[in-house]
Amino acid sequence: IANGANGHSQFPTEEDMTLLQLQQRYAEEAAKRIRADGPAQFLDLTDADTDRFKAIAEDPWADHAALNAKETVNDGATYKFLVLGAGYGGLLFAARLKQAGLINGPDDVRLVDAAGGFGGTWYWNRYPGLHCDVESYIYMPLLEETGYMPKQKYAPGTELREHADRIATHFDLHDKALFRSNAQSATWDEERRLWTVQVTEGRGPNEPSRELTLKCQYLLIASGVLNVPHVPKIPGLEGFGGEMFHTARWDYSATGGSYESPDMEKLKDKRVGIIGTGATSIQVIPQLAKWAKELYVFQRTPSAVHPRDQKETDPEEWKTKIACKEGWQKTRSLNFVAHMSLAAKDDEENLVGDGWTKIPAYSALIGSPGFGLVEPTPEAIGANVARLYKLDTPTTEGARARVDQIVKDPETANKLKAWYPSWCKRPTFSDMYLQAFNEPNVHLIDTNGQGIEAVTKSGLVFGGKEYPLDVLVLSTGYRSPVFGNGNPAAKTGIEVIGRGGLSMDEKWKKIGSATLHGIATSGFPNLFFAFGPQSAATANFITMLEVGIHHTAHILSKAEEKVGVGSRAVVEVTREEEEAWTLQVMMRAPYFASLMGCTPGYLNEEGHSAKQDPKEMMKASRSSGWSEGMLSYIEVLEEYRSEGSLKGIEVTAA
Ligand code: FAD
Ligand code: NDP
């Protein structure tokens, strides 16, 4: 109260009191959800050691016969670039390096992915209702290069996956990818100045897997952020007697229909349960509601759901207003960033103009210029937090009022209202989700923040009552991307050993994040990650990938120029310069204080981040983002590039 809604010390106003009550409600709701086991409440499906969960984690989509007939790598071979991941991130790495002239010969690049094809997120996820939540015109990469016009403002999963294949075709990458292959470890070979990467290639149910050793000059990590599906360790879950699957491995044999045509006929006489009401469920539930005899939605925390306003792309508008001049996609993406992070000029048109650009307090998560560095004092931090809550109130109140407008039963409507600030969970957008709860076959089972108690052979138990089910959909999300303080090796699930036997995991455990600009770390030469901790965030992951990859391509071009044709460059960040960058990042950590009180979720490792001891919190602050937001971060990188000396990066010839 002492800091007031306007940030000045004063007696509380009526507005202050309203905000305080709201903050109290948020804090109570968050407290209900904090669990002693934090992230340990979940089991990563890739770590499952039982047949049922192992089967759920399997790739349902790989065409093993076709893939077995193709040899794309040679065991023991050396490639110039090895890219871990063949989603949009891996594809962007390959495409942009090719455009920079760094990939020329047939052995210059290979992509390795556990999936059976290109697409990453859009390969694995094929649930009914899947769409991108950021406008497809700026989310789908390389639209200018491929000349593709998305059919709708928000593209469905089918189109997003097809686009991954289109990019691979355009950049001639189809015979440069090793699929169904898990990278296990990467070790820097000091003598040969190469990375050695151990890979296990799965070859389907009828062939044994193969162990491969691949070598490369540059190791590029594009292993994604939300790709390890997890399930809650609810007692009895594994023994559920009906069909059960995770949304990231949708089982159309259980529901009927197919990815291309999701008519889920088999559900017409079934009682279907779904656990989870996050961004995935917001898209799935309206589809299940259309087909299931009865649908039981088990909710722990309601999502904030804003209007979507999906529309078909108008080819005329596309030609004349959207894709109208060279460089349009970058301009549009940065315009989106500007409007999201309160960095737009007064007269700057809002080109995307969608719901994302109307949640100003999301800047609590992605940063914003204009608020300066927040001093690490209780007063300054308190004032910034108060400012953000004030900024957010119309958004959250609007979302709650929208529930009342749409959902007819007042009791159900009340349970569907989100009581947390907009920056605590990814906002969702739908014109079908809330409406589904007006259907007579859709039943909301709200667990008041507690979650399911148990699973029996025949159903789910909450409040001592069993809900009998035939099919159970686990829409329970993914391992947190901030796991291991965002260390790229942990995110990729591999051991990375750098110079002198230094393990990346150990480095992060010991000192926390340490990078130069969030793309490389000392002791690990020739290893780059598109965006790690210590870079800037925005809602559109593609912008984050593009910015990091563009910067990496610049560094590598300069490095190769420096060592000259015929020599192999060894490129490494210096310890001094990464500490200097880390210091810059840590100075910005107080800005993000409003995240501390957030309701548990993957962004704060299920509330675990707020419970760490001071030493661990200090370490965690090294993983902060850039508090002035993406445009400011881009400026920093541009200045660095134009200075020209690759300051803080040592380049030698191998
Ligand atoms: P991914 O697409 O995750 O690809 C990484 C690949 O690396 C995966 O295929 C994985 O199999 C592979 N991999 C990882 N580790 C290994 C290993 N050890 N060995 C071999 N292969 C490995 N973001 C948005 O901005 N807008 C959206 O609308 C949006 N929608 C999403 C919807 C869903 C359902 C999910 C889960 C995420 C969504 N995201 C969205 C985030 C999304 O993940 C990113 O936008 C983007 O697709 C990330 O691309 P990527 O290539 O970096 O990672
Ligand atoms: P989330 O982690 O957001 O949601 C998981 C859900 O499962 C939550 O509602 C969670 O509740 C619930 N849950 C977990 N354990 C239990 C339990 N024991 N009992 C009851 N409920 C439980 O995963 P999603 O897959 O929904 O989304 C992950 C991210 O992927 C999104 O934030 C977004 O970034 C991206 N995404 C984007 C989409 C798009 O629109 N294009 C679509 C889908 C995903 P609680 O909240 O209480 O933890």
Side-chain angles (χ1 to χ4, degrees):
I1 299 175
N3 284 303
N6 58 8
H8 303 300
S9 189
Q10 59 179 29
F11 288 111
T13 62
E14 207 173 305
E15 191 189 12
D16 287 331
M17 292 312 289
T18 312
L19 273 179
L20 189 69
Q21 279 166 1
L22 191 63
Q23 271 178 270
Q24 258 167 358
R25 171 82 197 256
Y26 288 169
E28 281 162 22
E29 292 289 338
K32 257 191 227 171
R33 291 165 170 85
I34 298 272
R35 295 169 47 133
D37 51 0
Q41 68 183 280
F42 294 106
L43 169 76
D44 293 342
L45 279 178
T46 43
D47 288 345
D49 54 3
T50 62
D51 289 348
R52 182 95 192 254
F53 286 144
K54 264 191 192 157
I56 289 180
E58 256 171 32
D59 179 351
W61 324 113
D63 180 347
H64 293 294
L67 289 167
N68 285 345
K70 220 170 159 184
E71 290 288 342
T72 53
V73 301
N74 294 317
D75 189 17
T78 300
Y79 301 100
K80 184 173 176 188
F81 292 100
L82 203 65
V83 188
L84 286 189
Y88 281 170
L91 287 164
L92 270 169
F93 256 129
R96 295 298 184 207
L97 292 172
K98 222 169 183 183
Q99 286 174 330
L102 294 164
I103 293 176
N104 298 299
D107 284 339
D108 277 357
V109 69
R110 287 296 181 275
L111 297 96
V112 174
D113 201 305
F118 291 104
T121 293
W122 311 107
Y123 173 88
W124 294 111
N125 282 275
R126 303 195 190 193
Y127 59 78
L130 176 63
H131 282 76
C132 52
D133 63 356
V134 167
E135 191 196 57
S136 49
Y137 313 154
I138 54 170
Y139 181 73
M140 292 170 78
L142 301 156
L143 288 179
E144 288 188 77
E145 287 79 353
T146 55
Y148 184 69
M149 178 189 85
K151 295 186 183 73
Q152 294 175 309
K153 194 164 167 82
Y154 305 96
T158 41
E159 196 178 353
L160 294 162
R161 193 171 70 82
E162 278 161 21
H163 189 60
D165 278 331
R166 180 176 300 110
I167 296 170
T169 305
H170 189 86
F171 289 94
D172 193 20
L173 298 169
H174 280 284
D175 60 352
K176 310 266 182 316
L178 177 70
F179 291 124
R180 305 169 303 169
S181 297
N182 261 304
Q184 310 286 1
S185 65
T187 309
W188 176 249
D189 177 344
E190 185 62 40
E191 205 175 309
R192 302 174 66 188
R193 311 282 172 94
L194 293 172
W195 282 98
T196 306
V197 181
Q198 298 296 341
V199 176
T200 306
E201 185 199 17
R203 296 183 60 85
N206 305 320
E207 283 195 29
S209 55
R210 287 200 301 200
E211 299 302 322
L212 303 170
T213 302
L214 306 177
K215 292 185 178 289
C216 60
Q217 181 184 355
Y218 297 111
L219 182 61
L220 307 175
I221 297 190
S223 57
V225 276
L226 296 157
N227 54 23
V228 180
H230 68 196
V231 295
K233 296 173 185 162
I234 306 170
L237 182 64
E238 218 187 332
F240 176 65
E243 305 275 8
M244 177 167 74
F245 54 86
H246 191 280
T247 48
R249 309 281 190 273
W250 194 268
D251 184 355
Y252 282 100
S253 73
T255 62
S258 65
Y259 180 44
E260 291 73 23
S261 171
D263 299 334
M264 295 182 278
E265 299 273 357
K266 283 192 184 172
L267 299 184
K268 275 186 165 168
D269 58 351
K270 299 280 189 333
R271 296 160 302 183
V272 179
I274 180 165
I275 306 180
T277 46
T280 297
S281 290
I282 301 306
Q283 297 185 329
V284 169
I285 284 168
Q287 305 306 318
L288 287 174
K290 277 190 218 162
W291 295 95
K293 181 170 166 239
E294 304 295 340
L295 177 63
Y296 295 88
V297 177
F298 294 89
Q299 171 179 273
R300 191 163 71 175
T301 306
S303 278
V305 190
H306 303 280
R308 176 67 306 178
D309 299 329
Q310 168 71 300
K311 62 173 193 176
E312 300 296 307
T313 306
D314 171 4
E316 197 45 40
E317 190 190 358
W318 178 259
K319 251 193 304 183
T320 56
K321 291 211 177 115
I322 300 167
C324 52
K325 51 178 182 281
E326 211 186 312
W328 69 267
Q329 198 178 30
K330 182 175 173 195
T331 306
R332 195 173 177 91
S333 302
L334 297 187
N335 173 273
F336 179 69
V337 165
H339 282 277
M340 278 203 67
S341 54
L342 314 181
K345 298 185 187 77
D346 285 346
D347 58 349
E348 193 173 338
E349 190 187 352
N350 184 349
L351 297 173
V352 173
D354 70 0
W356 277 115
T357 61
K358 291 163 194 148
I359 310 181
Y362 201 65
S363 54
L365 183 67
I366 62 172
S368 172
F371 302 105
L373 290 188
V374 175
E375 293 291 320
T377 62
E379 293 74 24
I381 290 174
N384 192 44
V385 172
R387 175 186 72 78
L388 287 162
Y389 273 95
K390 189 176 175 197
L391 198 60
D392 195 37
T393 306
T395 312
T396 53
E397 282 183 347
R400 288 187 287 270
R402 184 166 180 260
V403 182
D404 283 329
Q405 281 155 20
I406 295 171
V407 180
K408 291 187 185 134
D409 173 42
E411 204 185 318
T412 308
N414 263 337
K415 289 176 179 163
L416 286 166
K417 289 177 189 163
W419 290 100
Y420 53 79
S422 298
W423 56 81
C424 289
K425 282 181 186 275
R426 192 159 173 103
T428 67
F429 304 89
S430 174
D431 297 329
M432 293 187 282
Y433 176 73
L434 294 169
Q435 290 78 350
F437 291 91
N438 291 331
E439 298 301 324
N441 65 330
V442 180
H443 316 282
L444 179 67
I445 315 299
D446 178 46
T447 66
N448 193 21
Q450 301 310 298
I452 309 299
E453 279 159 22
V455 180
T456 64
K457 204 165 174 357
S458 48
L460 256 58
V461 181
F462 174 70
K465 184 177 166 191
E466 182 185 85
Y467 294 84
L469 299 171
D470 305 300
V471 177
L472 178 56
V473 181
L474 302 167
S475 186
T476 50
Y478 302 85
R479 184 171 72 199
S480 167
V482 292
F483 164 75
N485 269 338
N487 143 28
K491 266 205 282 194
T492 316
I494 65 173
E495 192 169 24
V496 178
I497 307 291
R499 261 192 219 288
L502 177 68
S503 140
M504 195 182 279
D505 249 347
E506 282 305 316
K507 177 173 178 181
W508 249 255
K509 267 187 205 138
K510 211 162 142 200
I511 62 168
S513 289
T515 75
L516 180 56
H517 300 141
I519 61 158
T521 183
S522 72
F524 299 85
N526 286 3
L527 184 149
F528 294 84
F529 26 95
F531 63 86
Q534 307 192 332
S535 57
T538 181
N540 183 0
F541 274 88
I542 300 307
T543 301
M544 289 153 67
L545 287 163
E546 284 276 29
V547 170
I549 289 169
H550 177 65
H551 194 62
T552 305
H554 169 88
I555 291 168
L556 297 184
S557 300
K558 282 270 171 198
E560 300 246 314
E561 219 176 271
K562 204 164 169 182
V563 298
V565 183
S567 290
R568 272 196 281 118
V570 177
V571 186
E572 187 180 353
V573 162
T574 64
R575 187 75 194 96
E576 297 69 43
E577 208 57 29
E578 79 180 3
E579 267 318 294
W581 179 251
T582 303
L583 197 64
Q584 293 274 330
V585 164
M586 287 175 83
M587 279 160 59
R588 285 159 173 84
Y591 173 90
F592 296 103
S594 62
L595 308 183
M596 295 303 286
C598 272
T599 189
Y602 70 79
L603 286 174
N604 61 5
E605 279 200 287
E606 306 303 325
H608 177 67
S609 319
K611 289 196 321 187
Q612 292 167 341
D613 67 43
K615 220 166 124 201
E616 285 304 309
M617 280 174 77
M618 191 60 136
K619 238 189 254 174
S621 74
R622 297 171 63 102
S623 300
S624 286
W626 193 251
S627 66
E628 292 99 318
M630 180 57 85
L631 293 184
S632 154
Y633 169 72
I634 292 173
E635 264 174 39
V636 173
L637 298 186
E638 274 169 0
E639 263 172 40
Y640 176 90
R641 291 195 293 266
S642 56
E643 190 271 331
S645 71
L646 293 190
K647 187 165 177 260
I649 295 180
E650 275 170 3
V651 179
T652 49

